[in-house]
């Protein structure tokens, strides 16, 4: 396990540098002068542009700029927002809220997704299975922002069961509705994945053996079928963290949540490019790290991966 | 049964020859070898055309594409003719779905918005499939340095979720048309196709027909193009069909955030974006374009499901 973890960690390092380099490169390779753009139609006093360039290291070669950025990253300097506030400060305040929202969404989609998928897989071809398939297909084809507006309208405005916007502190209770919205598409994918893999495993030799040696149906399903069916689901969760981040931007925008996604949403709408870039760069870093975690979880679940060199 | 070797006549051990009709040889003889060889594609077509879901999704896609190409045939009202006196107005004769906040006809804006969404979905899928497919096939077939280089570069692009990457690029570049949106989405989406193509080519590379082709003196490149790629393209087509729907959602998400196509272009994402302000009082101006979007995505996802079931023999057997 330690060998595997070490190997995965080493493989992550080039991806980490590559991804941050790519984002940095994309932004700086684009034509246009960001400093001149800051001043709009009125050119600043001579010397000001040069001073600002020097302050942000823009006068140095590209690769030096990137290395300075990475150096700052490791010292906790993630850049500044458009209004001059350090990104790390905003992150410290916004991240716990987004983490709560994402955890809630992950819990909802994993719990309900696996249960519905398991039942559908066990009753393949029956009514429950057919309706689970249709509903999941519908959920995948309705984008997150539409689900968000519909649930906000129905539960927040028509029925008045939930708050349409989340308050500044964003307690758990107020985050339930946004979390359902955030979880909706991934829930559908998990249902389909679990169903397919449960249906596959039911016909496997090890399940027949387990039944033949007299294990109860309950034990066969929970220990032998479910555990083996979870492997593709866990792999999916790794990819899913990426869509949760995009989803968080949309959902936090709709419900006006003061999380990382909401900050990015407002920055996008106000056209504050640099803020968007620094926050998204942090999101990509989190995505890479989260995928490392998922890989380790994956190994814990499937011994074949752990022991294979 | 106790065995005794006395050589006595025992009917159970009599040498028995089955009549030809009862042996598997008969079945082999019955195979019609004069007919045309059945390829994966004819098999897949046979499997697909029996499913109602194929005909439902295919006709939906056909209608959507016709609407995208000839929007004028389906909407009589001019989508750009907007009067503020009709702002958020109710449906009336000639305007079946009412008006949006700007007083434009909702129905004809949905019809004319089809083009942008479908174009970007198709264009992105084509770019991703061609680029990712070629890169993946070359990497898988030739291996070596090319393979490791392509795989590492792909890992880097794969580490950036498609829409997040597009958000970064579009917050710094201002040229936004169907082509740039498609290119930006493709930039982050190609590694998935490249990985799948590479895997398929890798497993086909050592087949007997590749050796046979080499033995006949066919060049490596020609072997790749003529024999390996046609035999490994099925999984790529499956993923490409499903991702077409996903790209349409991605474009609409960018439009919703206000960084997709410019607001002057009619697209479902832009309609939804502009309707956000009045969602609490006039939800229909937001829900109707959303419905058009969802139906389109649903059609492509259903089509993708059918294609997957047809091209994957395991899935066909399972169903």
């Amino acid at each position: 396990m330690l060998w595997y973890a070490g190997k995965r960690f080493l493989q992550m390092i080039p991806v980490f540098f590559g991804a941050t380099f790519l984002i940095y490169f994309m932004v700086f390779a684009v034509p246009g002068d960001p400093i001149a753009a800051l001043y709009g139609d009125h050119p600043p006093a001579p010397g000001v542009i040069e001073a600002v360039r020097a302050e942000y290291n823009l006068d140095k070669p590209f690769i030096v700029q990137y290395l300075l950025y990475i150096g700052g990253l490791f010292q906790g300097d993630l850049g500044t927002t458009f209004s001059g506030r350090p990104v790390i400060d905003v992150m410290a305040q916004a991240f716990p809220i987004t983490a709560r929202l994402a955890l809630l969404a992950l819990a909802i989609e994993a719990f309900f997704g696996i249960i519905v998928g398991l039942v559908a897989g066990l009753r393949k071809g029956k009514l429950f299975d057919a309706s689970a398939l249709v509903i999941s297909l519908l959920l995948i084809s309705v984008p997150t922002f539409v689900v968000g507006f519909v649930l906000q309208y129905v539960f927040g405005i028509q029925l008045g069961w939930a708050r349409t916007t989340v308050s500044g502190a964003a307690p758990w209770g107020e985050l339930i509705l946004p979390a359902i919205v955030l979880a909706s598409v991934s829930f559908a994918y998990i249902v389909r994945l679990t169903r397919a893999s449960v249906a596959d495993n039911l016909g496997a030799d090890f399940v027949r053996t387990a039944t033949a040696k007299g294990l109860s149906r309950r034990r066969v399903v929970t220990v032998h079928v479910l555990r083996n069916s979870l492997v593709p689901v866990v792999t999916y969760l790794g990819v899913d963290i990426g869509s949760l981040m995009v989803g968080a931007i949309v959902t936090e925008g709709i419900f006006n949540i003061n999380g990382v996604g909401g900050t990015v949403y407002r920055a996008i709408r106000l056209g504050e490019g640099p803020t968007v870039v620094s926050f998204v760069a942090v999101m990509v870093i989190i995505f890479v790290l989260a995928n490392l975690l998922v890989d380790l979880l994956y190994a814990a679940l499937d011994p074949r991966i752990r022991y294979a060199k | 049964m106790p065995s005794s070797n006395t050589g006595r006549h025992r009917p159970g051990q009599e040498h028995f020859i089955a009549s030809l009709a009862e042996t598997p040889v008969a079945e082999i003889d019955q195979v019609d070898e004069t007919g045309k060889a059945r390829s994966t594609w004819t098999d897949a077509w046979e499997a697909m055309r029996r499913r109602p879901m194929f005909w439902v999704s295919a006709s939906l896609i056909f209608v959507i594409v016709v609407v995208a190409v000839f929007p004028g045939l389906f909407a009589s009202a001019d989508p750009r003719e907007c009067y503020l006196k009709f702002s958020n107005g109710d449906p009336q004769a000639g305007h079946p779905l009412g008006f949006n906040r700007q007083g434009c006809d909702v129905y004809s804006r949905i019809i004319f918005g089809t083009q942008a969404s479908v174009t970007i979905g198709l264009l992105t899928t084509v770019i991703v499939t061609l680029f990712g497919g070629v890169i993946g096939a070359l990497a898988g077939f030739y291996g070596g340095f090319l393979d490791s280089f392509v795989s590492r570069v792909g890992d880097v692009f794969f580490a950036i979720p498609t829409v997040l990457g597009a958000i970064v690029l579009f917050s710094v570049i201002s040229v936004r048309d169907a082509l740039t949106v498609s290119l930006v989405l493709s930039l982050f989406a190609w590694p998935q196709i490249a990985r799948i193509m590479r895997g398929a080519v890798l497993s086909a590379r050592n087949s007997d027909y590749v050796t046979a082709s080499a033995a006949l003196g066919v060049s490596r490149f020609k072997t790749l193009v003529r024999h390996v790629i046609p035999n490994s393209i099925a999984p790529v087509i499956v993923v490409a069909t499903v991702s077409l729907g996903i790209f349409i959602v991605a474009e609409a998400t960018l439009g919703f955030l206000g960084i997709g196509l410019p607001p002057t272009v009619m697209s479902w994402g832009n309609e939804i974006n502009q309707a956000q302000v009045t969602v609490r009082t006039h939800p229909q101006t937001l829900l109707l374009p959303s419905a058009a979007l969802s139906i389109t995505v649903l059609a492509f996802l259903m089509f993708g499901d059918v294609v997957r079931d047809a091209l994957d023999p395991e899935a066909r057997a399972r169903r």
Side-chain angles (χ1 to χ4, degrees):
Chain A
M1 185 69 196
L2 211 60
W3 164 258
Y4 175 81
K7 203 176 85 178
R8 291 301 307 160
F9 185 74
L10 287 179
Q11 280 173 350
M12 191 202 77
I13 292 175
V15 173
F16 170 82
F17 284 105
T20 46
F21 183 84
L22 189 65
I23 291 183
Y24 209 75
F25 177 77
M26 284 190 314
V27 173
F28 284 86
V30 162
D33 185 343
I35 301 301
L38 273 179
Y39 291 93
D41 293 338
H42 301 283
V48 170
I49 285 197
E50 282 68 28
V52 177
R53 281 179 168 282
E55 192 190 331
Y56 290 101
N57 298 317
L58 290 175
D59 52 346
K60 300 186 179 64
F62 169 73
I63 190 77
V64 178
Q65 289 180 37
Y66 169 71
L67 290 176
L68 283 169
Y69 165 74
I70 285 289
L73 214 60
F74 281 107
Q75 292 162 29
D77 175 13
L78 307 176
T80 51
T81 66
F82 208 64
S83 50
R85 213 172 144 209
V87 167
I88 188 111
D89 282 8
V90 184
M91 269 301 208
Q93 193 188 36
F95 189 74
I97 298 177
T98 302
R100 277 209 293 274
L101 178 68
L103 280 178
L104 211 52
L106 270 175
I108 292 173
E109 68 185 49
F111 182 74
F112 291 102
I114 290 171
I115 288 187
V116 173
L118 177 67
V119 175
L122 291 175
R123 301 187 185 166
K124 209 178 104 185
K126 303 276 172 57
L127 181 68
F128 184 88
D129 177 39
S131 23
L133 273 184
V134 170
I135 291 172
S136 62
L137 204 55
L138 282 175
L139 277 179
I140 295 174
S141 47
V142 180
T144 311
F145 54 90
V146 178
V147 179
F149 280 121
V150 170
L151 292 195
Q152 187 189 43
Y153 184 75
V154 173
F155 292 107
I157 299 172
Q158 297 277 301
L159 297 172
W161 290 356
R163 290 176 63 122
T164 49
T165 51
V166 173
S167 57
W172 288 95
E174 291 181 13
L175 288 177
I176 291 177
L177 186 63
I180 292 175
V181 171
L182 187 52
S184 65
V185 175
S186 313
F187 161 78
Y189 276 113
I190 291 181
V191 167
R192 292 174 79 89
L193 261 178
T194 315
R195 174 199 174 266
S197 118
V198 164
D200 260 7
N201 282 331
L202 272 181
D205 289 343
F206 63 83
V207 172
R208 201 174 41 191
T209 309
T211 316
K213 73 182 183 189
L215 293 186
S216 66
R217 168 100 174 144
R218 187 190 181 83
R219 200 168 158 75
V220 172
V221 167
T222 51
V223 177
H224 295 270
V225 175
L226 188 59
R227 182 169 164 175
N228 281 288
S229 307
L230 285 185
V231 173
V233 177
V234 169
T235 323
Y236 171 73
L237 286 182
V239 185
D240 185 47
I241 295 168
S243 48
L244 276 185
M245 284 173 171
V246 178
I249 297 178
V250 170
T251 315
E252 295 189 3
I254 293 174
F255 290 94
N256 200 26
I257 301 171
N258 281 323
V260 184
T263 311
V264 175
Y265 175 83
R266 283 183 287 276
I268 294 172
R269 297 198 75 100
L270 294 172
E272 298 176 353
T275 312
V276 175
V277 174
S278 11
F279 274 95
V280 173
V282 178
M283 284 176 141
V284 169
I285 292 170
I286 295 173
F287 177 62
V288 173
L289 292 174
N291 262 297
L292 179 71
L293 259 177
V294 168
D295 272 346
L296 298 182
L297 187 63
Y298 189 47
L301 210 60
D302 190 345
R304 281 173 306 186
I305 294 159
R306 210 176 329 159
Y307 297 123
K309 284 285 162 73
Chain B
M1 193 177 77
S3 78
S4 57
N5 244 342
T6 51
R8 250 185 316 133
H9 172 79
R10 278 175 299 141
Q13 283 184 3
E14 212 171 327
H15 195 62
F16 173 73
I17 299 171
S19 81
L20 201 61
E22 288 171 32
T23 64
V25 180
E27 272 174 52
I28 297 173
D29 280 348
Q30 274 165 17
V31 171
D32 178 16
E33 37 194 289
T34 53
K36 208 165 160 268
R38 290 167 65 89
S39 70
T40 322
W41 308 107
T42 37
D43 272 357
W45 168 244
E46 287 298 322
M48 275 200 303
R49 53 181 257 194
R50 286 204 201 96
R51 301 190 61 189
M53 205 159 123
F54 168 73
W55 295 107
V56 172
S57 56
S59 16
L60 261 175
I61 291 174
F62 177 76
V63 171
I64 291 163
V65 169
V66 172
V67 169
V69 179
F70 308 106
L73 291 180
F74 295 85
S76 50
D78 183 351
R80 294 193 187 276
E81 203 173 282
C82 310
Y83 299 101
L84 278 177
K85 65 175 174 181
F86 292 135
S87 181
N88 289 322
D90 289 329
Q92 49 170 271
H95 306 279
L97 300 181
F99 300 88
N100 66 13
R101 192 163 69 112
Q102 301 292 330
C104 315
D105 182 59
V106 170
Y107 171 72
S108 64
R109 286 191 81 87
I110 290 175
I111 292 293
F112 278 85
T114 312
Q115 197 166 44
S117 301
V118 173
T119 309
I120 289 178
L122 281 173
L123 202 58
T124 312
T125 309
V126 169
I127 298 173
V128 165
T129 311
L130 284 181
F131 184 72
V134 167
I135 295 271
L138 291 176
F141 193 67
Y142 291 105
F145 171 76
L146 179 76
D147 185 23
S148 6
F149 178 74
V150 164
S151 298
R152 293 294 83 77
V153 172
D155 282 351
V156 168
F157 281 89
F158 200 72
I160 303 176
T162 306
V163 177
L164 278 190
I167 289 175
V168 168
L169 263 181
F170 280 126
S171 31
V172 286
I173 57 177
S174 46
V175 192
R176 296 170 193 168
D177 49 35
L179 184 66
T180 44
V181 172
S182 307
L183 282 174
V184 165
L185 290 178
S186 313
L187 184 64
F188 300 99
W190 67 268
Q192 194 198 8
I193 296 278
R195 279 184 181 186
I196 292 164
M197 190 73 192
R198 175 181 171 273
V201 166
L202 215 53
S203 60
R205 189 170 67 166
N206 298 322
S207 312
D208 288 342
Y209 60 81
V210 175
T211 321
S213 171
L216 287 170
V218 180
S219 76
R220 291 282 283 165
F221 183 72
K222 214 168 166 188
T223 307
L224 172 67
V225 175
R226 292 273 299 277
H227 301 290
V228 177
I229 289 182
N231 276 294
S232 25
I233 203 143
V236 171
I237 290 181
V238 170
V239 175
T241 340
V242 175
S243 42
L244 210 160
I246 307 293
F247 291 139
I248 294 181
V249 173
E251 186 274 326
T253 306
L254 291 177
F256 160 80
L257 292 171
I259 48 170
L261 296 168
T264 46
V265 176
M266 278 180 286
S267 85
W268 293 333
N270 284 345
E271 293 306 304
I272 294 164
N273 178 31
Q274 283 151 23
Q276 273 181 75
V277 202
T278 53
V279 65
R280 295 184 187 188
T281 48
H282 299 89
Q284 78 276 9
T285 51
L286 185 137
L287 294 181
L288 292 170
S290 306
L293 172 71
S294 300
I295 290 169
T296 308
V297 176
L298 185 66
F300 282 109
L301 286 180
M302 269 161 50
F303 192 72
D305 257 18
V306 178
V307 171
R308 190 200 46 225
D309 287 350
L311 282 178
D312 177 5
E314 272 181 46
R316 223 185 313 163
R318 267 203 303 271
R319 197 158 45 77

